[in-house]
Structure formats: C-alpha cells, structure tokens
Amino acid sequence: MSADAAAVEFRSVTKVFGSGAERHVALDDIDLRIERGEIFGVIGYSGAGKSTLVRLINALEKPTSGTVTISGTPITGVPESAVRTLRRDIGMVFQQFNLFRSRTAAGNIEYPLEVAGWKRAERKARVAELLEFVGLTDKARAYPDQLSGGQKQRVGIARALATSPSLLLADEATSALDPETTGEVLRLLKKINAELGVTIVVITHEMDVIRAVADRVAVLAEGRIVELADTFEVFAAPKAAPTRSFVATVLHNRPDAAELDRLRELHGGRLVTVDVDDDSGIGAALAAATAADVRFEIVYGGVSTLQDKTFGSITLALHGPDDALDRVVADLARKAG
C-alpha cells in the first residue's frame, strides 16, 4: 500500500444488472476517490445507485467493468481468499441494526472476534473497551429487545469496530431513528473518525445527515455522480438539479414562486434575493442603499454555519425611486457575486 493510496477508489466503474429488455445500469462510469481519514457522504434518492456502490466497496457485488481498490489494493479481479482478507478491514453499520436477538449486547460485539479466532480473555477485554467507547457499559447483558433503537445502533457500531477496521461503511444508519437519537449516532461517528482515525463512508438520502458529519459529498442520480465537492460548497452553491433539491429540503432559505407572489402582495416594492457568505459585502451595499434613500426590509431567508464558514441567502423588499433601486440592485449583485 502506497502512502498516498486512497481509502477507496473507483476507476471507470460500471455495474449492469440483467440483459436485453431487463438490462439496468445501476452505476455508470463512476470515478471516485475517498481519502483516508475523511467522512465521505454519498446521497441520492431511491434507485440512484447508493446501495450498489456500497456493495461494490465491500465486494458483495462485482463491477461489470472498471476497478475498485481499497487502500491501494484491488478488490476486483482477485481470488475470493484475497477479498475475504480485505473485508476484515471494513466494518458495516446497517439501517435495521442486524443484531442477533439471542445474544446480549456484549455477545453481539464479541461475535466477529470469535470468528476471527481471538482468545477469550482478549475478546472480553475488547468488548469492554468498545462498550465504554459507545457509552453502553451498563447494557452489556441486555438483549436487543431490551434496547432502544439508538442503543441497538450503538451496539451495531461497536460490533463493526470490533476488529479495528480502517474503513467503516454506514448504510442508511440513521434512517430508522428519531431526530434526537440520530444526532447521538452521528456524534458517535464523528468521534470514531476523530479519535480512531477511521475513514467513514455514509450512505444516506437525508441531507441533514450530510450536513452534520460529512467532509465531502457525492450526489448520485440515475447511476451517475452529478456533483462532488466539499460539503460546504454543495450547500452554499449547489450546481446540479438533484443537489439543489436536496439542499432545499434542509435550508428553506430561498422563496419559491408561490412564496414570492405572497411576499409581493404582503410587502410590495422590488424583491431581491441575494446570497450571503463570509466574503460578501452586503452590509456595505445596504448602507449605501440607505444613503440613496432606498428603504429595505428583510422578508425571507436564513444564514447558516458549516465547516466554520457562513452561507445562506436573504430576500429583501426594496422601496425607493426606480433609478436608485436599479443602482442598489446592481450593487447588491456585485457584492454578493
């Protein structure tokens, strides 16, 4: 493994299911590099190809064409024995927890260590360490039916970490949880990344999850990556239509056509929506507007902070002489641009 090897790399990967009239292209010519030590998000609607992508990473599916490498080692076109060795370095966290109902929390976490042939004393020590790490020491002897959804998922995460993998795949890991519990699980994933250095790939259809944990994100649509960027860039300036749709479900900071009609009726004047970030000079533009006898009112919008940077948009209702309004609108466009 070279020092600069990516945690995961897809090179011209295509995955096709079926043939003829039943042929379905699940992934189409995917190039993707997930760096070691990052939390990488993959988001898309149902049928976008997310599940296929994660199954290619852990070699549960093989690509029709192209190559997939894990830490610089091919996971495609190699013997099954080599694939099994590579899989030992990959932990999986599932939407429905997939715990053994007949085993306690400790027993579930211990299972992969038994399979790996660890000695009993070593297994018990590792299980105790992981229960403490995920905050469930007092639930060691509890069975899954005695645990809440969030506790079950934390057991699942501890089990995935049992053999100290360098890569953790979280496939819709919070979809079955309520918002408060989702926050707890996402904070745990960030802790795993920060304290253990584990690379995490988060597969989701929820943009809130991406905003909470991901360093970078790939947006999938119809089997293709339509956008790939830092999470801040995706939220602050989404380019592809599916990305804008996802971002709109979270931010709600730009009025749609119906809302604009309502705002015009309610406030009158000229409505202008401008983007806001740490470098924009909106304050100076609004001070100049006041000096030019243009009154303004903020009637819609929101400003957020992500990755220690500010972004958002505000909609203003401007009132004043037409020529002054033209100058103010042009000034706002320059400052926001």
Side-chain angles (χ1 to χ4, degrees):
M1 181 181 70
S2 64
D4 62 347
V8 179
E9 189 167 9
F10 281 58
R11 297 175 186 167
S12 303
V13 171
T14 293
K15 177 62 180 177
V16 178
F17 293 100
S19 60
E22 302 298 321
R23 186 176 186 271
H24 170 64
V25 180
L27 291 175
D28 186 6
D29 195 25
I30 298 294
D31 287 307
L32 177 63
R33 181 183 171 98
I34 299 172
E35 303 296 345
R36 285 185 288 171
E38 72 174 332
I39 302 180
F40 189 89
V42 178
I43 191 165
Y45 293 111
S46 178
K50 306 187 302 298
S51 296
T52 301
L53 186 141
V54 76
R55 289 174 66 83
L56 286 171
I57 293 175
N58 60 22
L60 293 176
E61 297 283 358
K62 296 180 180 180
T64 304
S65 61
T67 60
V68 180
T69 59
I70 305 296
S71 297
T73 303
I75 202 169
T76 51
V78 297
E80 182 60 28
S81 58
V83 172
R84 286 196 296 270
T85 300
L86 286 166
R87 280 203 195 106
R88 291 174 193 156
D89 198 37
I90 303 173
M92 280 290 303
V93 184
F94 306 93
Q95 178 180 357
Q96 297 300 335
F97 320 128
N98 289 11
L99 301 181
F100 298 112
R101 295 181 64 185
S102 61
R103 283 178 171 255
T104 62
N108 269 279
I109 298 168
E110 188 176 1
Y111 178 75
L113 301 175
E114 294 174 3
V115 173
W118 286 40
K119 294 179 180 179
R120 186 176 187 278
E122 294 172 337
R123 296 199 309 264
K124 300 302 181 185
R126 179 61 172 159
V127 169
E129 177 187 7
L130 287 166
L131 283 167
E132 181 179 3
F133 185 82
V134 301
L136 290 177
T137 299
D138 61 333
K139 300 295 183 181
R141 297 184 179 181
Y143 288 87
D145 288 347
Q146 299 170 309
L147 300 174
S148 68
Q151 290 167 341
K152 291 176 186 176
Q153 193 56 289
R154 281 188 277 162
V155 171
I157 291 171
R159 181 181 61 185
L161 294 173
T163 57
S164 301
S166 67
L167 175 63
L168 184 66
L169 307 180
D171 188 6
E172 298 283 6
T174 60
S175 294
L177 305 177
D178 60 62
E180 182 177 352
T181 308
T182 291
E184 294 173 0
V185 169
L186 294 178
R187 285 190 290 275
L188 177 57
L189 291 179
K190 293 193 75 170
K191 177 182 176 182
I192 291 165
N193 176 256
E195 296 185 14
L196 305 181
V198 176
T199 305
I200 301 177
V201 180
V202 176
I203 311 295
T204 185
H205 65 278
E206 299 172 297
M207 205 64 177
D208 264 331
V209 170
I210 297 297
R211 178 168 63 173
V213 299
D215 300 310
R216 292 192 301 140
V217 58
V219 182
L220 277 180
E222 299 180 345
R224 299 187 67 89
I225 295 176
V226 297
E227 193 148 353
L228 173 63
D230 290 345
T231 301
F232 175 83
E233 294 174 19
V234 166
F235 272 88
K239 296 178 176 61
T243 313
R244 292 193 295 271
S245 179
F246 275 119
V247 170
T249 66
V250 175
L251 296 183
H252 310 292
N253 62 2
R254 299 182 75 90
D256 59 21
E259 188 66 25
L260 279 172
D261 289 340
R262 188 189 71 82
L263 292 172
R264 287 191 184 95
E265 184 175 340
L266 187 63
H267 298 282
R270 190 180 301 187
L271 295 182
V272 179
T273 299
V274 294
D275 292 326
V276 179
D277 59 32
D278 290 325
D279 299 322
S280 62
I282 300 301
L286 293 179
T290 301
D293 200 27
V294 171
R295 295 177 293 107
F296 66 88
E297 180 182 5
I298 298 175
V299 296
Y300 200 94
V303 178
S304 303
T305 300
L306 180 62
Q307 296 179 342
D308 297 324
K309 292 180 280 189
T310 299
F311 71 100
S313 71
I314 57 174
T315 299
L316 304 164
L318 304 174
H319 300 267
D322 285 343
D323 57 343
L325 287 176
D326 290 341
R327 289 194 299 273
V328 169
V329 169
D331 193 27
L332 285 169
R334 283 194 300 273
K335 293 291 194 299

